[in-house]
Amino acid sequence: MFDGVIMSDQHPSLALRFRGFLPVVIDVETGGFNSQTDALLEIAAVLIEMDAQGNLRPSTRIQFHVDPFPGANLEQAALDFTGIDPNNPLRGAVPEETALKGVFDPVRKAIKQHACSRAVLVGHNSFFDQGFLNAATDRTDIKRNPFHPFSSFDTATLAGLVYGQTVLAKACEAAGIRFSQREAHSALYDATRTAELFCSMVNRFKTLGGWPPPPAKTIPPTLARELD
């Protein structure tokens, strides 16, 4: 049970699927690799929901273009890679605090809606997105970050296990998900493809009989127990 909810095939629960954590896909585009010194330029989030059959699917999508924080470093190589012009007034960029609150507020609502305890970041090479998210949260002194501070689900690792691919484009191709190199390196596009990839892998595991897990007494003894 979790908060009075019973897990069964008849009553699938997003809260129970990940031990009370709500998976939320995050992708960022930045002015470099250093989360402490380099600018956060885009952030996107994709919420995940569960259907009546217990399958995951992407739901609400959120995106913000972000103004570089005062004194932020901008590496030209990073800007060339993403194609972002931080000085373009048509970006409609907002301060970091506005962007983070615009992500955190709907995430908190989703946590409550699904009876979860907090969110867990899902990302492709998730340490990168988590580092920039945490650094921006610290800079803006936001006290109620709904995300776990260090746990995350890394789709690069999961895709390596499931499909033998760690590059997002290659993993999506292996999963039958359309991926456009022309549209890539936009936070919203990459977050959307990452969400689809994450859902496909979790749903595949379920289809193959990996979830719900079998009763402990039916699981074969581990090698360690056999050696004992």
Side-chain angles (χ1 to χ4, degrees), residues 7-106:
M7 179 177 64
S8 72
D9 290 336
Q10 288 73 40
H11 299 89
S13 165
L14 191 56
L16 290 166
R17 181 61 183 85
F18 302 106
R19 202 177 63 82
F21 290 133
L22 175 73
V24 178
V25 178
I26 294 289
D27 189 85
V28 300
E29 301 298 335
T30 68
F33 293 109
N34 189 324
S35 62
Q36 301 300 314
T37 61
D38 299 341
L40 173 65
L41 298 175
E42 290 184 11
I43 184 169
V46 180
L47 304 184
I48 303 296
E49 63 184 13
M50 179 178 282
D51 67 19
Q53 287 70 48
N55 294 311
L56 301 188
R57 61 191 180 199
S59 60
T60 304
R61 303 192 304 166
I62 305 155
Q63 177 190 29
F64 289 96
H65 298 276
V66 185
D67 282 323
F69 63 88
N73 181 55
L74 292 163
E75 296 288 344
Q76 189 59 48
L79 301 181
D80 293 342
F81 181 72
T82 62
I84 296 173
D85 178 3
N87 298 313
N88 186 343
L90 299 180
R91 291 180 68 223
V94 300
E96 281 187 334
E97 183 175 7
T98 301
L100 291 181
K101 288 181 176 178
V103 171
F104 290 173
D105 286 350

Side-chain angles (χ1 to χ4, degrees), residues 106-208:
V107 169
R108 290 192 195 100
K109 291 177 182 177
I111 289 171
K112 184 176 181 180
Q113 174 188 348
H114 294 288
C116 292
S117 56
R118 73 187 314 171
V120 62
L121 185 148
V122 179
H124 204 77
N125 297 309
S126 57
F127 73 93
F128 181 83
D129 306 282
Q130 189 170 51
F132 273 88
L133 181 70
N134 287 344
T137 302
D138 290 342
R139 276 193 300 269
T140 54
D141 199 30
I142 295 177
K143 301 301 184 184
R144 294 182 58 236
N145 182 347
F147 287 88
H148 194 285
F150 54 83
S151 292
S152 66
F153 293 154
D154 179 29
T155 53
T157 302
L158 293 172
L161 171 67
V162 176
Y163 297 117
Q165 300 288 349
T166 57
V167 175
L168 180 58
K170 294 291 186 181
C172 286
E173 181 182 350
I177 298 168
R178 183 186 69 85
F179 193 93
S180 168
Q181 291 291 352
R182 182 178 60 83
E183 297 179 72
H185 311 306
S186 149
L188 183 61
Y189 185 83
D190 288 358
T192 300
R193 296 289 89 83
T194 299
E196 292 171 350
L197 178 63
F198 176 72
C199 291
S200 77
M201 292 187 289
V202 174
N203 294 342
R204 177 186 172 100
F205 185 67
K206 175 179 174 290
T207 300
L208 293 174

